[in-house]
Amino acid sequence: MIFFGHSFFLNFTIQIVNGVGGNSADMGVLNAYIAVLELPGMWMFDRLRRKYSCTGMLKFAGVFFAVKNTLIFAAGSMLGLYGATFFQALSYPLFIPASVRYVGEHMDLKDMNKSQSLLTAMITIGNICVSAVGGFLIDGAGLKIALAVAAACTIAGAAVLLLGMKKDKADAISN
């Protein structure tokens, strides 16, 4: 659920950019901007990990996935999209390495491969759902309703993440 809005944006970027008055050149620049935003978080992940738990970083990233997708829904211009996608820097580049590290730290060795596979499968299922449903939503209900659904799914995913992840002894020690 948390990747629904993220994947919706990635799959339907041109429709979103066109919806705020942009064109394909604007989309290219926006995608480059987003890619650059992801680099510091990934480069600094090990340093951040020394200070914060994976559980904490996953929760933090989940909140900012929701913030980003809510602001994408609210954006009325390219400037608004740039502002909304700034929060990519606080979501995706922390979520991906933290989820991999979380599995490594919290799962029994015999379950690590299954856990990684399940995580990847859930992200993939989210992508498939977005691909299958997103176009129908845009065509049938309009872009704004589709963006609202994407934001709502991401908010629900963040809520599940926040409520479902419990702090354990290893996390308490590292905080």
Side-chain angles (χ1 to χ4, degrees):
M1 287 173 58
I2 206 160
F3 269 80
F4 191 95
H6 177 74
S7 297
F8 184 88
F9 180 80
L10 293 177
N11 289 353
F12 300 101
T13 307
I14 192 62
Q15 288 85 351
I16 296 166
V17 167
N18 288 341
V20 297
N23 58 33
S24 61
D26 295 321
M27 181 185 86
V29 173
L30 181 64
N31 282 336
Y33 166 74
I34 292 167
V36 169
L37 286 173
E38 291 177 356
L39 294 174
M42 290 198 177
W43 280 335
M44 294 175 43
F45 181 79
D46 285 332
R47 183 175 287 159
L48 291 169
R49 178 59 190 103
R50 284 184 232 128
K51 190 169 184 167
Y52 303 104
S53 71
C54 288
T55 301
M57 284 193 282
L58 287 168
K59 288 179 177 183
F60 181 86
V63 166
F64 282 102
F65 269 119
V67 168
K68 177 187 75 173
N69 284 286
T70 301
L71 292 174
I72 288 170
F73 163 71
S77 66
M78 282 304 300
L79 185 59
L81 283 181
Y82 280 104
T85 56
F86 171 80
F87 292 99
Q88 179 81 1
L90 302 173
S91 57
Y92 186 82
L94 298 178
F95 188 90
I96 294 300
S99 63
V100 171
R101 190 74 63 86
Y102 180 88
V103 167
E105 292 174 357
H106 290 50
M107 301 295 163
D108 289 335
L109 188 58
K110 66 181 178 58
D111 294 326
M112 280 179 39
N113 289 334
K114 287 183 278 188
S115 299
Q116 284 293 356
S117 296
L118 184 59
L119 175 65
T120 302
M122 291 301 103
I123 292 170
T124 302
I125 288 169
N127 288 332
I128 291 168
C129 289
V130 167
S131 296
V133 173
F136 290 116
L137 274 171
I138 292 171
D139 290 343
L143 180 62
K144 271 310 214 189
I145 298 296
L147 286 167
V149 169
C153 286
T154 304
I155 291 166
V160 168
L161 182 74
L162 290 171
L163 297 172
M165 292 190 81
K166 295 182 180 169
K167 203 172 223 186
D168 65 14
K169 292 176 189 170
D171 289 330
I173 293 166
S174 67
N175 279 339

